[in-house]
Amino acid sequence: MTSIKAAITGVSCWLPEDKLTNADIEKMVDTTNEWIMERSGVSERRILRDPNKGSAFMGAEASKLLFEKKNIDPLTIDLIICATATPEMQFPATANIISDMIGTKRAWSFDLKGACSGFIYALQVGRQFIETGTHKRVLVIGTDKMSSIVDYTDRGTCILFGDGAGAVLLEPDTTGTGILDASMYSDGAGRFSLYQPAGGSLRPATEETVRNREHFIKMSGQGVFKMAVEKMADVAEEMMVKNHLESKDISFLVPHQANKRIIDATANRMGIGSEKVMLNIQKYGNTTTATLPICLSEWENQLKRGDNIILTTFGAGFTWGGMYIKWAYDKVKKDPSLENAVPTEHSSSL
Ligand code: UT7
């Protein structure tokens, strides 16, 4: 019997046009461009300024671009899994709202929370529905309006995060490409190292929680940094060892974009050069669940069928994971004038 793999057969992303540069942040908190660049690698981030738009809007835009690019009828989507740390609202799920925005009337849909590892977790979940043969088209979305929970008076966190969304389509593959292996982890003992204290059932919103700024991200930067360096590299190495991959066999590393130093350490452990590392943290900062699909979308034109790529993430929880994918397709032929274009609020097609 031929085994069914889940393959990524299309990818797209959407980023707001407005930029928040290091020069802007220098005016908001006590920091410098040099410090931010040296300690994190971030130069600017995108911010969704429209107060009437949230994570669902960005996820829907990324999905619509994917449908356009692949000429997909929304009614052929079976399932939507939306990874987000900044849901449109507490409930219903952001995936339900996106489903309405993009017209996937036949699909069921739910959110998945895994903080910065949410997207890789969602891929791992979506993969199961394809491999069992019960679903033919699973849309996996990562979308985060981080600016809605960033404290722009806290220099330890406001330098890092940005807004954005990405979406991939998973479909069955029987030719040997697709998601070939993955390892997922979590350790809730790390929950107070990176979290949003209030707004949940433990600490519902009160005047006090608002006054104490408890609805914003709190992070013990150094502790998270040390764990991230260790775990992202560990799981990337695990993927290589388990699948008998040497450095020369890897086409690309797709790392979560939390800090350039963490990414460099992971690439060093894998023994690969910077030319094989998808790195765009300088332009977008940490978009949480959206970093991986944004990278895949930006590098899509360079990916070839059969390429070995390793995805790796670390995030709040703690959560972390790695995935080995044999890429399923060569770049989509399209108008050369649009090559390398990243869709923004004013660009409706890739
Ligand atoms: O995606 C989820 C996973 N998230 C992460 O992986 C983020 C992990 N953490 C980090 O990326 C880093 O910890 C940061 C970039 C947030 C901070 O870098 P660091 O090298 O760990 O700095 P630190 O927190 O150890 O702070 C060193 C010093 C402190 O001053 P003192 O106490 O030594 O006087 C901070 O107050 O740097 C100070 N500092 C700053 N100085 C200028 C902290 N933030 C800033 C800032 N500008 N923005």
Side-chain angles (χ1 to χ4, degrees):
M1 198 179 81
T2 322
S3 77
I4 303 171
K5 303 286 181 213
I8 294 176
T9 56
V11 55
S12 201
C13 70
W14 188 91
L15 289 139
E17 197 177 57
D18 274 328
K19 294 176 182 172
L20 182 70
T21 65
N22 287 353
D24 297 328
I25 290 191
E26 280 177 350
K27 292 180 202 136
M28 298 158 74
V29 291
D30 181 16
T31 191
T32 60
N33 173 49
E34 293 69 31
W35 194 97
I36 302 171
M37 284 302 291
E38 190 192 311
R39 306 312 293 165
S40 72
V42 185
S43 174
E44 59 189 36
R45 320 109 192 101
R46 300 298 179 92
I47 304 293
L48 182 60
R49 297 213 186 266
D50 187 337
N52 297 312
K53 287 177 178 153
S55 293
F57 168 79
M58 294 193 295
E61 291 302 301
S63 304
K64 283 192 251 173
L65 288 164
L66 178 58
F67 290 175
E68 261 175 54
K69 189 161 73 165
K70 294 268 303 170
N71 197 20
I72 286 170
D73 177 353
L75 296 177
T76 63
I77 300 295
D78 300 312
L79 165 64
I80 299 176
I81 307 176
C82 177
T84 182
T86 52
E88 189 92 339
M89 49 187 78
Q90 279 279 10
F91 69 88
T94 303
N96 305 156
I97 300 164
I98 292 175
S99 175
D100 181 50
M101 289 171 163
I102 63 178
T104 51
K105 300 273 183 217
R106 274 190 53 255
W108 62 294
S109 56
F110 64 89
D111 284 2
L112 186 154
K113 271 203 170 181
C116 291
S117 304
F119 185 78
I120 203 168
Y121 275 21
L123 279 182
Q124 175 72 337
V125 172
R127 167 191 181 192
Q128 315 298 325
F129 290 94
I130 299 285
E131 288 181 355
T132 54
T134 59
H135 292 57
K136 294 277 180 270
R137 282 187 159 169
V138 176
L139 182 64
V140 178
I141 300 167
T143 181
D144 269 302
K145 185 178 174 181
M146 295 307 291
S147 60
S148 64
I149 57 166
V150 165
D151 183 348
Y152 288 99
T153 66
D154 174 11
R155 68 179 182 171
T157 53
C158 74
I159 59 163
L160 295 175
F161 296 97
D163 302 338
V168 303
L169 185 66
L170 290 179
E171 291 184 288
D173 181 295
T174 52
T175 66
T177 59
I179 299 172
L180 300 190
D181 196 14
S183 284
M184 301 292 143
Y185 298 95
S186 69
D187 179 359
R191 63 191 178 281
F192 297 120
S193 296
L194 176 51
Y195 69 130
Q196 182 186 333
S201 57
L202 181 65
R203 283 187 72 67
T206 61
E207 282 180 22
E208 187 196 4
T209 62
V210 172
R211 203 169 39 245
N212 294 342
R213 308 185 78 77
E214 291 180 62
H215 295 269
F216 293 121
I217 299 170
K218 309 285 176 202
M219 181 171 77
S220 316
Q222 236 181 56
V224 177
F225 181 88
K226 280 186 192 144
M227 284 291 285
V229 164
E230 183 187 324
K231 299 301 184 188
M232 262 181 56
D234 279 355
V235 75
E237 191 177 41
E238 181 190 334
M239 285 297 102
M240 291 175 73
V241 172
K242 268 175 75 188
N243 294 286
H244 313 290
L245 296 167
E246 295 176 23
S247 309
K248 65 174 173 38
D249 304 319
I250 306 293
S251 309
F252 283 102
L253 166 66
V254 194
H256 173 51
Q257 312 280 311
N259 185 311
K260 183 175 182 299
R261 290 181 291 144
I262 300 172
I263 295 170
D264 290 346
T266 305
N268 279 343
R269 177 92 78 83
M270 295 170 73
I272 61 170
S274 58
E275 73 287 353
K276 290 185 173 182
V277 180
M278 295 189 188
L279 184 81
N280 55 18
I281 191 172
Q282 68 284 1
K283 294 191 288 183
Y284 309 129
N286 181 352
T287 53
T288 302
T289 61
T291 61
L292 298 185
I294 292 173
C295 280
L296 289 173
S297 184
E298 288 208 319
W299 268 263
E300 185 187 28
N301 290 342
Q302 294 177 49
L303 288 167
K304 295 186 299 299
R305 181 177 159 78
D307 276 353
N308 292 317
I309 70 171
I310 303 280
L311 278 56
T312 176
T313 60
F314 183 86
F318 295 124
T319 53
W320 64 104
M323 186 171 271
Y324 166 38
I325 297 178
K326 201 170 264 298
W327 195 249
Y329 62 95
D330 291 322
K331 76 173 188 178
V332 181
K333 299 274 181 292
K334 61 181 184 190
D335 180 347
S337 66
L338 295 176
E339 297 262 319
N340 300 323
V342 173
T344 67
E345 274 175 303
H346 301 292
S347 161
S348 60
S349 68
L350 183 64

